Amino acid sequence: MILYIIRHGETTHNKTRTIQGHYDSQLNRAGVKQAKLIAERLRVVNFDYIYSSDLSRAKNTTKEVAKYQNCPIVYTRKLRERNLGMFENKPRSLYYKFIEERGVKNNIHARLPLGGESYYSLQRRAVNFVAQIYKKHKGQTVLLSTHGGFKKALLIHFNNIALEKFREYNSFGNTSLSIIKFHKDNRYKVELENDIKHLL
């Protein structure tokens, strides 16, 4: 299986550093343009299957890609961003203050109030999802259209980096592209990571 992974286009929340999580924000004008550019880049790839987060910012990015594809598309909650509980649709600065004051900044098992998800839970969700689709799509080319945190959790895993490095790991730009190639015997290689040449 060859797995392509993209992050959604830009939202106003990205620009204003407002936390999104499961909050259903929309692509802004720049985000729509970015979605069209990544779609144009990927038009030379013939995907066998596309899986997308069901949140609007990812879903509308996927719809641009789908204009050049002829394959099944599944929209699923399983590809959503990390649930950030009480801080969703709130300034990122409030979240940073909260985790600093409670000393949980680097605690991968810490959950935020009101349904928040830990870094560990996010990564388990992401890795388990890829394991499931690998069984179904061996020998095929698959696209995941998702979010920055979800994508980061996956790449940390496949690069064999400790999850405790989550917050300091390279940020993933809007519509950035990563590619993982899976081989037999559970072997894999990260072929491309966080590439945004289509935006340059």
Side-chain angles (χ1 to χ4, degrees), residues 66-124:
K67 291 177 181 179
Y68 302 108
Q69 301 294 328
N70 183 24
C71 67
I73 304 173
V74 173
Y75 296 99
T76 174
R77 294 176 59 91
K78 293 179 180 179
L79 288 178
R80 285 187 176 192
E81 181 60 281
R82 179 187 174 206
N83 188 321
L84 285 148
M86 65 182 286
F87 293 102
E88 294 188 351
N89 202 31
K90 300 290 194 302
R92 191 169 292 272
S93 57
L94 294 180
Y95 164 69
Y96 288 145
K97 181 180 179 181
F98 179 88
I99 60 176
E100 287 281 358
E101 289 177 347
R102 283 158 177 76
V104 296
K105 183 172 67 172
N106 296 312
N107 183 346
I108 63 172
H109 297 287
R111 295 177 181 272
L112 299 171
L114 301 182
E117 192 174 14
S118 70
Y119 287 129
Y120 178 81
S121 295
L122 171 64
Q123 189 179 65
R124 288 302 91 205

Coordinates of all heavy atoms in Angstrom, one line a residue, residues 66-124:
A66 N -11.2 15.1 -5.2 CA -12.1 14.1 -5.8 C -12.5 14.5 -7.2 O -12.9 13.7 -8.0 CB -13.3 13.9 -4.9
K67 N -12.4 15.8 -7.6 CA -12.7 16.3 -8.9 C -11.9 15.6 -10.0 O -12.3 15.5 -11.1 CB -12.6 17.8 -9.0 CG -13.7 18.5 -8.2 CD -13.4 20.0 -8.3 CE -14.5 20.8 -7.5 NZ -14.2 22.3 -7.5
Y68 N -10.7 15.1 -9.6 CA -9.8 14.5 -10.6 C -9.7 13.0 -10.4 O -8.8 12.3 -11.0 CB -8.4 15.1 -10.5 CG -8.4 16.6 -10.7 CD1 -8.2 17.5 -9.6 CD2 -8.5 17.2 -11.9 CE1 -8.1 18.9 -9.8 CE2 -8.5 18.5 -12.2 CZ -8.3 19.4 -11.1 OH -8.3 20.7 -11.3
Q69 N -10.5 12.4 -9.5 CA -10.4 11.0 -9.2 C -11.7 10.3 -9.5 O -12.8 10.9 -9.6 CB -10.1 10.9 -7.7 CG -8.8 11.5 -7.2 CD -7.5 10.9 -7.8 OE1 -7.5 9.7 -8.1 NE2 -6.5 11.7 -8.1
N70 N -11.6 9.0 -9.6 CA -12.7 8.1 -9.8 C -12.6 6.9 -8.9 O -12.3 5.8 -9.4 CB -12.8 7.7 -11.3 CG -14.1 6.9 -11.6 OD1 -15.1 7.0 -10.9 ND2 -14.0 6.1 -12.6
C71 N -12.9 7.1 -7.7 CA -12.7 6.1 -6.7 C -13.7 6.3 -5.5 O -14.2 7.4 -5.4 CB -11.3 6.0 -6.2 SG -10.8 7.4 -5.2
P72 N -13.9 5.3 -4.7 CA -14.8 5.5 -3.5 C -14.2 6.5 -2.5 O -13.0 6.6 -2.4 CB -14.9 4.1 -2.9 CG -14.5 3.2 -4.0 CD -13.5 3.9 -4.9
I73 N -15.1 7.2 -1.9 CA -14.6 8.2 -0.8 C -15.5 7.9 0.4 O -16.7 7.8 0.4 CB -14.9 9.6 -1.2 CG1 -14.1 9.9 -2.5 CG2 -14.4 10.6 -0.1 CD1 -14.4 11.3 -3.1
V74 N -14.8 7.7 1.6 CA -15.4 7.5 2.8 C -15.1 8.7 3.8 O -13.9 9.0 4.0 CB -15.0 6.2 3.5 CG1 -15.5 6.1 4.9 CG2 -15.4 5.0 2.7
Y75 N -16.1 9.4 4.3 CA -16.0 10.4 5.3 C -16.2 9.8 6.7 O -17.3 9.2 6.9 CB -16.9 11.6 5.0 CG -16.7 12.2 3.7 CD1 -17.5 11.9 2.5 CD2 -15.7 13.2 3.5 CE1 -17.3 12.5 1.3 CE2 -15.5 13.8 2.3 CZ -16.2 13.4 1.2 OH -16.0 14.1 0.0
T76 N -15.3 10.0 7.6 CA -15.3 9.3 8.8 C -14.8 10.2 10.0 O -13.9 11.0 9.9 CB -14.5 8.0 8.8 OG1 -14.5 7.4 10.1 CG2 -13.1 8.2 8.3
R77 N -15.5 10.0 11.2 CA -15.1 10.7 12.4 C -13.7 10.2 12.8 O -13.0 10.9 13.6 CB -16.0 10.4 13.5 CG -17.4 11.0 13.3 CD -18.4 10.5 14.4 NE -17.9 10.9 15.7 CZ -18.2 12.1 16.3 NH1 -19.0 12.9 15.7 NH2 -17.7 12.4 17.5
K78 N -13.3 9.0 12.4 CA -12.0 8.4 12.9 C -10.8 9.2 12.4 O -9.7 9.1 13.0 CB -11.9 7.0 12.4 CG -12.9 6.0 13.0 CD -12.8 4.6 12.4 CE -13.8 3.7 13.1 NZ -13.7 2.3 12.5
L79 N -11.0 10.1 11.4 CA -9.9 10.9 10.9 C -9.9 12.3 11.4 O -9.2 13.2 11.0 CB -9.9 10.9 9.4 CG -9.4 9.6 8.7 CD1 -9.5 9.7 7.2 CD2 -8.0 9.2 9.1
R80 N -10.8 12.6 12.4 CA -10.9 13.9 13.0 C -9.6 14.3 13.7 O -8.8 13.5 14.2 CB -12.1 14.0 13.9 CG -13.4 14.1 13.2 CD -14.5 14.4 14.2 NE -15.8 14.6 13.5 CZ -16.9 15.0 14.1 NH1 -16.8 15.3 15.4 NH2 -18.0 15.2 13.4
E81 N -9.5 15.6 13.9 CA -8.4 16.2 14.7 C -8.6 15.7 16.2 O -9.6 15.2 16.6 CB -8.5 17.7 14.7 CG -7.4 18.5 15.4 CD -6.0 18.1 15.0 OE1 -5.5 17.0 15.4 OE2 -5.4 18.9 14.3
R82 N -7.6 15.9 17.0 CA -7.6 15.6 18.4 C -8.8 16.4 19.0 O -8.9 17.6 18.7 CB -6.3 16.0 19.1 CG -6.3 15.8 20.6 CD -5.0 16.3 21.2 NE -5.0 16.3 22.6 CZ -4.3 17.1 23.4 NH1 -3.6 18.0 22.9 NH2 -4.4 17.0 24.7
N83 N -9.6 15.8 19.9 CA -10.7 16.5 20.6 C -10.0 17.3 21.7 O -9.3 16.7 22.6 CB -11.6 15.5 21.2 CG -12.9 16.1 21.8 OD1 -12.8 17.2 22.4 ND2 -14.0 15.5 21.6
L84 N -10.2 18.6 21.7 CA -9.6 19.5 22.7 C -10.6 20.0 23.7 O -10.3 21.0 24.3 CB -8.8 20.6 22.0 CG -7.5 20.1 21.4 CD1 -7.2 20.8 20.1 CD2 -6.4 20.1 22.4
G85 N -11.7 19.3 23.8 CA -12.6 19.6 24.9 C -13.0 21.0 25.1 O -13.5 21.7 24.1
M86 N -12.9 21.6 26.3 CA -13.4 22.9 26.6 C -12.6 24.0 25.9 O -13.1 25.2 25.9 CB -13.2 23.1 28.1 CG -11.8 23.2 28.6 SD -11.6 23.4 30.4 CE -12.1 25.1 30.6
F87 N -11.5 23.7 25.2 CA -10.8 24.7 24.5 C -11.1 24.9 23.0 O -10.5 25.8 22.4 CB -9.3 24.5 24.7 CG -8.8 24.7 26.1 CD1 -8.6 23.5 26.9 CD2 -8.7 25.9 26.7 CE1 -8.3 23.7 28.3 CE2 -8.3 26.1 28.0 CZ -8.1 24.9 28.8
E88 N -12.0 24.1 22.5 CA -12.4 24.2 21.1 C -13.1 25.5 20.9 O -13.9 25.9 21.6 CB -13.2 23.0 20.7 CG -12.4 21.7 20.8 CD -13.1 20.5 20.2 OE1 -14.3 20.6 19.9 OE2 -12.4 19.5 20.0
N89 N -12.7 26.2 19.8 CA -13.2 27.5 19.4 C -12.8 28.6 20.4 O -13.4 29.6 20.5 CB -14.7 27.5 19.2 CG -15.2 28.6 18.3 OD1 -14.4 29.0 17.4 ND2 -16.4 29.1 18.6
K90 N -11.7 28.3 21.1 CA -11.1 29.3 22.1 C -9.7 29.6 21.6 O -9.0 28.9 21.0 CB -11.1 28.7 23.5 CG -12.5 28.3 24.0 CD -13.3 29.5 24.3 CE -14.5 29.2 25.2 NZ -15.4 28.2 24.6
P91 N -9.2 30.8 22.1 CA -7.8 31.2 21.7 C -6.8 30.1 22.2 O -6.9 29.6 23.3 CB -7.6 32.5 22.5 CG -9.0 33.0 22.6 CD -9.9 31.8 22.8
R92 N -5.8 29.8 21.4 CA -4.8 28.9 21.7 C -4.0 29.2 23.0 O -3.6 28.4 23.7 CB -3.8 28.7 20.5 CG -2.9 27.5 20.6 CD -2.1 27.4 19.3 NE -3.1 26.9 18.3 CZ -3.3 25.6 18.0 NH1 -2.8 24.7 18.8 NH2 -4.2 25.3 17.1
S93 N -3.9 30.5 23.2 CA -3.2 31.0 24.4 C -3.8 30.5 25.7 O -3.1 30.2 26.7 CB -3.1 32.5 24.4 OG -4.4 33.1 24.4
L94 N -5.1 30.4 25.7 CA -5.8 29.9 26.9 C -5.4 28.4 27.2 O -5.2 28.0 28.4 CB -7.3 30.0 26.8 CG -7.9 31.4 26.7 CD1 -9.4 31.3 26.6 CD2 -7.5 32.2 28.0
Y95 N -5.3 27.6 26.1 CA -5.0 26.2 26.3 C -3.5 26.1 26.8 O -3.3 25.3 27.7 CB -5.1 25.6 24.9 CG -4.4 24.2 24.8 CD1 -4.8 23.1 25.5 CD2 -3.3 24.1 24.0 CE1 -4.2 21.9 25.4 CE2 -2.6 22.9 23.9 CZ -3.1 21.8 24.6 OH -2.4 20.6 24.5
Y96 N -2.6 26.9 26.2 CA -1.2 26.9 26.7 C -1.1 27.2 28.2 O -0.3 26.6 28.9 CB -0.4 27.8 25.8 CG -0.1 27.3 24.4 CD1 0.0 28.2 23.4 CD2 0.0 25.9 24.2 CE1 0.2 27.7 22.1 CE2 0.2 25.5 22.9 CZ 0.3 26.4 21.8 OH 0.5 25.9 20.6
K97 N -1.9 28.2 28.6 CA -1.8 28.7 30.0 C -2.3 27.6 30.9 O -1.8 27.3 31.9 CB -2.7 29.9 30.1 CG -2.7 30.5 31.6 CD -3.6 31.7 31.7 CE -3.6 32.2 33.1 NZ -4.5 33.4 33.2
F98 N -3.4 26.9 30.5 CA -4.0 25.8 31.3 C -3.0 24.7 31.5 O -2.8 24.2 32.6 CB -5.3 25.3 30.5 CG -6.0 24.2 31.2 CD1 -6.9 24.4 32.2 CD2 -5.7 22.8 30.9 CE1 -7.6 23.4 32.8 CE2 -6.3 21.8 31.5 CZ -7.3 22.1 32.5
I99 N -2.4 24.2 30.4 CA -1.5 23.0 30.5 C -0.2 23.4 31.3 O 0.4 22.5 32.0 CB -1.2 22.4 29.2 CG1 -0.5 23.3 28.2 CG2 -2.5 21.8 28.5 CD1 0.0 22.7 26.9
E100 N 0.2 24.6 31.2 CA 1.4 25.1 32.0 C 1.1 25.1 33.4 O 1.8 24.6 34.3 CB 1.8 26.5 31.5 CG 2.5 26.5 30.1 CD 4.0 26.1 30.2 OE1 4.5 25.8 31.3 OE2 4.6 26.0 29.1
E101 N -0.1 25.7 33.8 CA -0.5 25.8 35.2 C -0.7 24.5 35.9 O -0.4 24.3 37.1 CB -1.7 26.7 35.3 CG -1.5 28.2 35.0 CD -2.8 29.0 35.1 OE1 -3.9 28.4 35.1 OE2 -2.7 30.2 35.1
R102 N -1.2 23.5 35.1 CA -1.5 22.2 35.7 C -0.3 21.2 35.5 O -0.4 20.1 35.9 CB -2.8 21.6 35.1 CG -4.0 22.3 35.7 CD -5.2 22.2 34.9 NE -6.4 22.8 35.6 CZ -6.5 24.1 35.7 NH1 -5.7 25.0 35.2 NH2 -7.6 24.6 36.4
G103 N 0.7 21.7 34.9 CA 1.9 20.8 34.8 C 1.7 19.6 33.9 O 2.4 18.6 34.1
V104 N 0.9 19.7 32.9 CA 0.6 18.5 32.0 C 1.1 18.8 30.6 O 0.7 18.1 29.7 CB -0.9 18.2 32.0 CG1 -1.3 17.7 33.4 CG2 -1.7 19.3 31.5
K105 N 2.0 19.7 30.4 CA 2.4 20.1 29.1 C 2.9 19.0 28.3 O 2.7 18.8 27.1 CB 3.4 21.2 29.2 CG 3.9 21.8 27.8 CD 4.8 23.0 28.0 CE 6.1 22.7 28.6 NZ 7.0 23.8 28.6
N106 N 3.7 18.1 28.9 CA 4.3 17.0 28.2 C 3.8 15.6 28.7 O 4.4 14.6 28.4 CB 5.9 17.0 28.4 CG 6.5 18.2 27.8 OD1 6.2 18.6 26.7 ND2 7.3 18.9 28.6
N107 N 2.6 15.7 29.3 CA 2.0 14.4 29.7 C 1.1 13.9 28.6 O 0.0 14.4 28.3 CB 1.1 14.7 30.9 CG 0.5 13.4 31.5 OD1 0.4 12.4 30.9 ND2 0.0 13.5 32.7
I108 N 1.5 12.8 27.9 CA 0.8 12.3 26.8 C -0.5 11.6 27.1 O -1.3 11.3 26.2 CB 1.7 11.3 26.0 CG1 2.1 10.1 26.8 CG2 3.0 12.0 25.5 CD1 2.8 9.0 26.0
H109 N -0.7 11.4 28.4 CA -2.0 10.7 28.8 C -3.0 11.7 29.4 O -4.1 11.3 29.7 CB -1.7 9.6 29.8 CG -0.8 8.5 29.3 ND1 -1.3 7.6 28.4 CD2 0.5 8.2 29.5 CE1 -0.4 6.7 28.1 NE2 0.7 7.1 28.7
A110 N -2.6 13.0 29.5 CA -3.5 14.0 30.0 C -4.7 14.3 29.1 O -4.5 14.5 27.9 CB -2.7 15.3 30.3
R111 N -5.9 14.3 29.7 CA -7.1 14.6 28.9 C -7.6 16.0 29.4 O -7.6 16.3 30.6 CB -8.1 13.6 29.1 CG -7.8 12.2 28.6 CD -8.8 11.2 28.9 NE -8.5 9.9 28.4 CZ -8.8 9.4 27.2 NH1 -9.4 10.2 26.3 NH2 -8.4 8.2 26.8
L112 N -8.1 16.8 28.4 CA -8.7 18.1 28.8 C -10.1 17.9 29.2 O -10.8 17.0 28.7 CB -8.6 19.0 27.5 CG -7.1 19.2 27.1 CD1 -7.1 20.0 25.7 CD2 -6.4 20.0 28.1
P113 N -10.6 18.8 30.0 CA -12.0 18.8 30.5 C -13.0 18.8 29.3 O -12.7 19.3 28.2 CB -12.2 20.0 31.3 CG -10.8 20.3 31.8 CD -9.9 19.9 30.7
L114 N -14.2 18.3 29.5 CA -15.3 18.2 28.6 C -15.0 17.4 27.3 O -15.2 17.9 26.2 CB -15.7 19.7 28.2 CG -16.2 20.6 29.3 CD1 -16.6 21.9 28.8 CD2 -17.3 19.9 30.1
G115 N -14.5 16.2 27.6 CA -14.4 15.2 26.4 C -13.0 15.3 25.7 O -12.9 14.7 24.6
G116 N -12.1 16.0 26.2 CA -10.8 16.1 25.6 C -10.1 14.8 25.4 O -10.3 13.9 26.2
E117 N -9.2 14.7 24.4 CA -8.5 13.5 24.0 C -7.0 13.7 24.3 O -6.5 14.7 24.1 CB -8.7 13.3 22.5 CG -8.3 11.9 22.0 CD -8.7 11.8 20.5 OE1 -9.1 12.8 19.9 OE2 -8.7 10.6 20.1
S118 N -6.4 12.7 24.9 CA -5.0 12.7 25.1 C -4.2 12.5 23.9 O -4.7 12.0 22.9 CB -4.6 11.7 26.2 OG -4.6 10.4 25.6
Y119 N -2.9 12.9 23.9 CA -2.0 12.7 22.7 C -1.9 11.2 22.5 O -1.9 10.7 21.3 CB -0.6 13.2 23.0 CG -0.4 14.7 23.0 CD1 0.1 15.4 24.1 CD2 -0.9 15.4 21.9 CE1 0.3 16.7 24.0 CE2 -0.7 16.8 21.9 CZ -0.1 17.5 22.9 OH 0.0 18.8 22.9
Y120 N -1.9 10.4 23.6 CA -1.8 8.9 23.4 C -3.0 8.4 22.7 O -2.9 7.6 21.8 CB -1.6 8.3 24.8 CG -1.5 6.8 24.8 CD1 -0.3 6.1 24.4 CD2 -2.7 6.0 25.0 CE1 -0.3 4.7 24.4 CE2 -2.6 4.6 25.0 CZ -1.4 4.0 24.6 OH -1.4 2.6 24.6
S121 N -4.2 8.8 23.1 CA -5.4 8.3 22.5 C -5.5 8.7 21.1 O -5.9 7.9 20.2 CB -6.6 8.9 23.3 OG -6.7 8.4 24.6
L122 N -5.1 9.9 20.7 CA -5.0 10.4 19.3 C -4.2 9.5 18.5 O -4.5 9.0 17.4 CB -4.6 11.8 19.3 CG -4.3 12.3 17.9 CD1 -5.5 12.4 17.0 CD2 -3.6 13.7 17.9
Q123 N -3.0 9.2 19.0 CA -2.0 8.4 18.2 C -2.6 6.9 18.1 O -2.5 6.3 17.0 CB -0.6 8.3 18.8 CG 0.4 7.7 17.9 CD 1.8 7.6 18.5 OE1 2.0 7.0 19.5 NE2 2.7 8.3 17.9
R124 N -3.2 6.4 19.1 CA -3.7 5.0 19.0 C -4.8 5.0 17.9 O -4.9 4.1 17.1 CB -4.3 4.6 20.4 CG -3.3 4.2 21.4 CD -2.3 3.1 21.0 NE -1.1 3.7 20.4 CZ -0.3 3.1 19.5 NH1 -0.6 1.9 19.1 NH2 0.7 3.7 19.0

